[in-house]
Amino acid sequence: MKYNYLFIALFFVATSVNAQKDYVITVDGKDYEIALDGNEDVKIKGKLVNIALKKKDTLLLDDDYFELKYTKQHKVSRVEIESDIEQIMLMTAGGSGLIIQKYGSFNPSMLQEMMMNEVTKESVSYGYNLKREDYDKELSSGETIKVLKSVLTYKGETEVYEVMAHGKKDEGIIVMTMNMNLGVEDGGEDMIQLMWNSLSIKP
C-alpha cells in the first residue's frame, strides 16, 4: 500500500529490551511507539495501516579506513584512547570478540608482535601452553596480510588470539580477535569468522 503523503522518520529513543516500545515512528507528523521486531496497526487518514520495524540480520561497520560486517546480535562500542587513537569493540557476553585500534598519526604495523605478547603473557605466566600458528590472509579488498595466531591451552580450556596490522603513511589499524570459549556456542566464533570474511581496507 502506497501513500504519496506518507513520510516516515525513525527516532531512536532508547536501547533496551526489544519487547519494549523503545522506538518512535513519525508518520505524516504523528508519532507512534513501536518495539523492534514488532508490528503496530495505526490509522492514517482514516485507513488502517500495519507498520513493522525490523533490524537487518547483518550490519555494516563502515569506517573511513576499513569496513566489515557483523550481526545484529552484537553492538559496536567506540572509545577514544588518545586524540589520534580510537578503539572499536565487538564482544560477546562470554568475552569473545574483536578489538580494532585505529591510529591517525602513525603506521602501527610495528606494534603487531608487541600486542600479541601483551594479550598472552598473563595466561602464559599462569601456566597456559602457547602454540603459534601464524598465517597469511587475503582480505576481501585484495591485500594479503600476516595474521599472528596464538593458541593457549590449560586443563582442557583453549583460548585463541589473532592479531593483524595494516598501515599506510601516518595511519593504520590493528585488529585483534579473542575466542575465549572455543567450541562454546556464544556467537564468538561466528562473529570472528564473519569479520575475517568481510574485512576490507579502503584505498
Side-chain angles (χ1 to χ4, degrees), residues 144-202:
T144 298
I145 49 94
K146 185 175 184 62
V147 179
L148 307 184
K149 181 177 180 179
S150 291
V151 180
L152 296 103
T153 54
Y154 181 78
K155 292 186 176 180
E157 296 183 3
T158 302
E159 300 175 358
V160 179
Y161 295 89
E162 295 173 301
V163 179
M164 67 144 279
H166 185 278
K168 304 175 184 176
K169 182 181 179 182
D170 299 331
E171 63 177 336
I173 59 170
I174 289 180
V175 179
M176 179 175 67
T177 70
M178 300 159 289
N179 191 342
M180 308 301 287
N181 300 279
L182 192 64
V184 177
E185 294 295 330
D186 70 344
E189 289 187 52
D190 292 339
M191 176 203 293
I192 292 167
Q193 191 59 51
L194 179 59
M195 184 279 296
W196 283 129
N197 291 340
S198 62
L199 179 61
S200 176
I201 303 297
K202 294 185 176 180

Side-chain angles (χ1 to χ4, degrees), residues 124-136:
V124 171
S125 178
Y126 187 79
Y128 278 75
N129 178 65
L130 185 151
K131 182 181 179 182
R132 288 288 290 264
E133 299 179 359
D134 303 349
Y135 63 95
D136 292 332

Side-chain angles (χ1 to χ4, degrees), residues 61-152:
L61 174 55
D62 190 4
D63 186 83
D64 58 2
Y65 191 92
F66 68 93
E67 66 179 32
L68 59 86
K69 293 179 181 179
Y70 65 101
T71 61
K72 67 179 181 180
Q73 287 83 6
H74 305 115
K75 293 183 179 180
V76 177
S77 64
R78 293 175 179 261
V79 61
E80 189 173 294
I81 300 176
E82 295 181 14
S83 60
D84 62 345
I85 304 176
E86 181 182 20
Q87 183 163 285
I88 303 163
M89 295 180 64
L90 279 157
M91 304 294 292
T92 69
S96 297
L98 60 100
I99 297 174
I100 302 170
Q101 288 189 349
K102 180 182 170 185
Y103 297 79
S105 62
F106 68 95
N107 183 335
S109 297
M110 67 186 74
L111 303 178
Q112 186 176 9
E113 189 68 47
M114 183 184 75
M115 180 72 75
M116 177 60 81
N117 291 335
E118 283 297 314
V119 297
T120 58
K121 67 180 183 181
E122 186 174 337
S123 295
V124 171
S125 178
Y126 187 79
Y128 278 75
N129 178 65
L130 185 151
K131 182 181 179 182
R132 288 288 290 264
E133 299 179 359
D134 303 349
Y135 63 95
D136 292 332
K137 168 73 177 176
E138 183 176 353
L139 304 181
S140 60
S141 50
E143 295 87 352
T144 298
I145 49 94
K146 185 175 184 62
V147 179
L148 307 184
K149 181 177 180 179
S150 291
V151 180
L152 296 103

